[in-house]
Amino acid sequence: MIFYFSGTGNSRYVAEKTAETVQDEVVSMNALLKEGKAGTFISEKPYVFVLPVYAGRMPRVAEHCIEKMQLEGSSAVYFIMTCFETPYASEKYIRRLCGRKHLELSGFDYVCMPQSYIAMYDVPDHDQAVQIYRKALPKITEMAEKIRRQEKFDHQVNGGGMMSDVINPVFYQMAVSAKGFHTTDRCTGCGLCAERCPLNNIRLQDKVPQWGNSCTHCMACIDGCPAQAIEYKKATAGKSRNYNIAADL
Ligand SMILES: Cc1cc2nc3c(=O)[nH]c(=O)nc-3n(C[C@H](O)[C@H](O)[C@H](O)COP(=O)(O)O)c2cc1C
Ligand code: SF4
Ligand code: SF4
């Protein structure tokens, strides 16, 4: 059983590609979070989690969701992170989570995908994003083949403690807030942003999106808006919106 949490579609793509090789089902943690339930799952095959890296760790909302899930059957688990450049010391926190849940970590690895953090960094344009997806495919397939054979990964990432241990908590306190999101006159009031927010943090008032206080900066709303009508403070004007690039491969 292959779970993913995904803001802009990168981790979802990796999960779906992995599932094709492993011949296993895919479960969206976005949907679980949206419904406010963690659930009980039974699988004889190893569990696989595909998650983006947020400031050097797995996203907090994903960690909390996994913490609450009942995972029965197999105790083996693989974690695949998608990131722009490096997962830093994510593995350390994943090992701790596995320890608390009595899961055996059979593999941890990562794959580089387009930068999704449009609110803070430059992001590739659409064509560049497509190229990054194509370049990532051999590694995704290689990891999926190992999972299919239930082989352990030998990869280990060292270092990155400063980002994961020190900056991560400060980042959540200081940077992760929906306060900077606003719409432009391009907004059609279609409601897709509210539908896509995994934390139900957007509601429409007279067809105008309003952001609440529960945001994890996944970037699904701003990147997924079909009218490109969402901006974040002054950081996002003119930047490319990359959402569900897999549809254009
Ligand atoms: C809040 C946030 C924090 C991020 N932090 C990191 C990071 O520490 N290292 C990194 O290489 N990429 C980082 N990224 C980039 C994402 O991990 C990467 O683009 C990922 O593939 C996004 O996957 P998704 O589309 O499934 O959400 C960050 C992105 C966001 C939105
Ligand atoms: S998805 Fe975009 S166009 Fe649709 S309601 Fe949200 S901001 Fe407006
Ligand atoms: S408000 Fe936007 S960025 Fe925040 S969690 Fe919802 S979809 Fe993600």
Side-chain angles (χ1 to χ4, degrees):
M1 198 170 290
I2 299 167
F3 294 93
Y4 71 84
F5 173 74
S6 187
T8 65
N10 298 344
S11 308
R12 176 180 171 176
Y13 169 73
V14 174
E16 286 174 350
K17 277 294 175 200
T18 305
E20 279 174 22
T21 301
V22 179
Q23 292 284 296
D24 207 349
E25 67 179 294
V26 177
V27 179
S28 162
M29 289 170 69
N30 294 45
L32 297 177
L33 287 162
K34 207 161 173 61
E35 288 162 24
K37 63 176 192 196
T40 300
F41 301 90
I42 304 169
S43 174
E44 294 313 317
K45 289 184 184 172
Y47 288 98
V48 181
F49 288 90
V50 185
L51 308 171
V53 176
Y54 286 180
R57 296 194 205 173
M58 69 191 118
R60 260 187 201 176
V61 288
E63 182 169 8
H64 292 159
C65 184
I66 298 168
E67 199 94 55
K68 284 192 255 157
M69 281 177 180
Q70 295 290 325
L71 301 175
E72 294 174 5
S74 176
S75 61
V77 63
Y78 293 86
F79 276 80
I80 298 174
M81 311 300 287
T82 75
C83 56
F84 159 66
E85 192 172 35
T86 165
Y88 295 102
S90 302
E91 184 176 359
K92 181 168 87 179
Y93 291 88
I94 282 165
R95 282 196 182 279
R96 287 182 189 169
L97 173 65
C98 291
R100 293 196 295 277
K101 292 200 62 83
H102 307 290
L103 293 167
E104 188 209 333
L105 186 62
S106 297
F108 168 89
D109 209 339
Y110 69 97
V111 56
C112 291
M113 296 297 278
Q115 172 65 272
S116 67
Y117 204 6
I118 188 171
M120 209 172 262
Y121 298 107
D122 284 340
V123 295
D125 66 27
H126 179 267
D127 290 350
Q128 289 167 331
V130 167
Q131 288 312 316
I132 296 169
Y133 265 58
R134 293 208 171 117
K135 205 172 152 208
L137 192 54
K139 178 151 186 193
I140 298 166
T141 310
E142 189 191 315
M143 290 186 293
E145 283 292 350
K146 284 190 184 161
I147 295 170
R148 189 178 59 78
R149 297 194 296 268
Q150 301 194 16
E151 242 174 57
K152 292 200 178 206
F153 292 0
D154 49 19
H155 186 265
Q156 239 186 333
V157 184
N158 296 312
M162 184 68 184
M163 175 61 90
S164 307
D165 304 343
V166 181
I167 297 175
N168 181 286
V170 179
F171 163 75
Y172 274 95
Q173 214 180 348
M174 309 291 287
V176 181
S177 158
K179 281 208 177 90
F181 288 114
H182 56 98
T183 49
T184 65
D185 55 13
R186 286 208 290 262
C187 176
T188 60
C190 71
L192 216 52
C193 49
E195 230 174 84
R196 285 181 174 155
C197 175
L199 302 183
N200 295 316
N201 191 44
I202 304 170
R203 61 186 175 81
L204 262 64
Q205 200 170 22
D206 299 328
K207 291 191 133 194
V208 180
Q210 311 286 331
W211 279 263
N213 295 323
S214 157
C215 175
T216 193
H217 266 197
C218 74
M219 305 291 122
C221 53
I222 186 165
D223 276 343
C225 169
Q228 305 208 348
I230 304 176
E231 301 289 351
Y232 185 78
K233 297 182 180 170
K234 289 182 179 157
T236 52
K239 289 185 188 170
S240 175
R241 278 17 179 198
N242 293 319
Y243 185 82
N244 194 19
I245 291 291
D248 299 325
L249 290 179

